[in-house]
């Protein structure tokens, strides 16, 4: 093989490798994943409470079908974590929290909030309820059950403390989680005998957990406000999405997932 042929061949290989590296980058640029979503398209970034994870996945698909030029992408976490992001002017377009207290604390950062759904608490146990838990009183620390709760800063943790204090029940949790899905996971994995979660979260794992109902007179109702964010670069589209969450299609999805009417 001549030296000239060897150099030519190496250059050809290098060119082919360059094309292989650049191709996925070009595809990513054309995929609509940036803020504008490409010409004539918009990607909305929505911060949402962890308890909305499953139903909002369906909502994103439904909204995109109805508004093909808009893609909705969610970031799920505990409402207190979402609020911290908003206070740091995280680039997002809308926010949905699991309580009005968190949303009210962001005055000046959001548009006018609207309540899109309500929720209630249940006691999640292992499938079959092997510890025969019948109500809140069974979670008392004197009963030596392994109970997991959300941290007090988390809306569901605050609701849990409220209902337990009202019944004069003291619980010593084996852990305090940063969102409701963390509580549910501990019960699913057998790391706790019980945990207080939203009714809708227990419904997402029917083959892994049972839900012990908490009577209305002992329960707390969670309200979910949605609002646009002042930092949004897509105010018109964000306003339309928040309004859609209060409309018939989104409300049906929320009802089917076990959420209550606003």
């Amino acid at each position: 093989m001549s030296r000239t042929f060897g150099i030519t061949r190496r250059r050809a290989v290098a060119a082919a490798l360059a094309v292989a590296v650049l191709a996925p980058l070009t595809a990513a640029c054309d995929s609509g994943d940036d803020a504008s979503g490409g010409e004539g398209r918009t990607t909305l970034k929505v911060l949402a409470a962890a308890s909305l994870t499953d139903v909002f996945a369906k909502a994103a698909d439904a909204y995109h079908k109805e508004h093909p030029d808009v893609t909705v992408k969610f970031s799920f976490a505990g409402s207190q974590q979402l609020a911290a992001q908003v206070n740091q002017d995280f680039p997002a377009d809308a926010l949905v929290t699991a309580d009005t207290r968190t949303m009210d604390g962001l005055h000046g950062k959001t548009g006018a909030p609207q309540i899109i759904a309500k929720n209630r608490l249940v006691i999640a146990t292992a499938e079959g309820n092997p510890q025969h838990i019948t109500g809140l009183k069974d979670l008392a620390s004197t009963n030596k059950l392994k109970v997991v709760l959300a941290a007090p800063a988390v809306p569901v943790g605050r609701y849990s403390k409220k209902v337990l204090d009202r019944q004069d029940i003291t619980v010593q949790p084996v852990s305090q989680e940063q969102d409701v899905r963390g509580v549910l996971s501990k019960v699913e994995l057998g790391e706790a005998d019980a945990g207080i979660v939203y009714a809708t979260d227990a419904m997402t794992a029917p083959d892994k957990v049972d839900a012990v109902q908490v009577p209305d007179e002992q329960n707390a109702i969670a309200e979910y406000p949605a609002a646009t964010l002042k930092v949004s670069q897509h105010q018109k589209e964000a306003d339309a999405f928040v309004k859609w969450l209060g409309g018939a299609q989104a409300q049906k999805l929320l009802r089917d997932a076990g959420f209550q009417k606003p």
Side-chain angles (χ1 to χ4, degrees):
M1 179 184 296
S2 69
R3 182 172 181 273
T4 300
F5 180 77
I7 292 173
T8 301
R9 186 173 184 276
R10 285 197 296 274
R11 287 176 177 170
V13 171
L17 288 173
V19 171
V21 170
L22 289 173
L25 293 177
T26 303
C29 291
D30 294 337
S31 67
D33 286 341
D34 58 13
S36 65
E39 185 177 354
R41 297 181 181 179
T42 300
T43 296
L44 290 180
K45 298 176 182 177
V46 180
L47 308 178
S51 50
L52 294 163
T53 299
D54 295 84
V55 67
F56 268 10
K58 296 178 180 179
D61 290 339
Y63 193 75
H64 185 62
K65 287 179 181 178
E66 191 174 318
H67 303 82
D69 291 335
V70 178
T71 298
V72 182
K73 293 190 175 181
F74 294 98
S75 176
F76 297 102
S79 295
Q80 80 290 351
Q81 295 170 313
L82 302 177
Q85 292 179 20
V86 172
N87 279 321
Q88 294 168 7
D89 292 327
F90 182 83
D93 301 291
L95 169 70
V96 188
T97 63
D99 67 334
T100 56
R101 176 174 167 178
T102 299
M103 184 69 78
D104 291 344
L106 296 171
H107 181 72
K109 295 283 188 178
T110 75
Q114 65 167 335
I115 305 299
I116 63 164
K118 293 182 179 180
N119 215 337
R120 55 188 289 115
L121 302 179
V122 298
I123 302 168
T125 75
E127 185 182 14
N129 192 7
Q131 299 296 329
H132 307 294
I133 296 168
T134 61
L136 293 172
K137 66 182 186 303
D138 294 327
L139 305 183
S141 54
T142 54
N143 291 333
K144 297 182 179 179
L145 288 177
K146 292 187 294 182
V147 180
V148 61
L149 300 174
V154 186
V156 70
R158 198 158 54 243
Y159 294 133
S160 299
K161 184 178 186 306
K162 179 180 178 180
V163 300
L164 291 169
D165 287 351
R166 223 160 38 195
Q167 299 301 311
D168 197 24
I169 297 170
T170 299
V171 174
Q172 295 178 345
V174 294
S175 70
Q176 292 184 317
E177 303 300 314
Q178 291 304 304
D179 60 52
V180 69
R181 289 304 172 95
V183 177
L184 185 68
S185 177
K186 291 284 186 180
V187 178
E188 286 182 297
L189 294 172
E191 297 177 13
D193 298 313
I196 298 180
V197 301
Y198 296 120
T200 54
D201 290 284
M203 286 176 62
T204 67
D207 297 329
K208 296 181 180 179
V209 303
D210 282 0
V212 177
Q213 300 301 314
V214 177
D216 289 344
E217 63 272 16
Q218 298 177 9
N219 218 318
I221 301 298
E223 294 184 319
Y224 289 71
T228 58
L229 295 176
K230 295 292 183 67
V231 297
S232 172
Q233 298 298 307
H234 311 287
Q235 285 291 332
K236 180 180 178 181
E237 292 84 356
D239 284 342
F241 177 69
V242 170
K243 183 177 180 180
W244 181 84
L245 288 174
Q249 187 174 10
Q251 288 298 303
K252 183 180 187 306
L253 290 173
L254 288 162
R255 295 297 87 68
D256 290 346
F259 289 87
Q260 299 176 357
K261 293 181 180 179

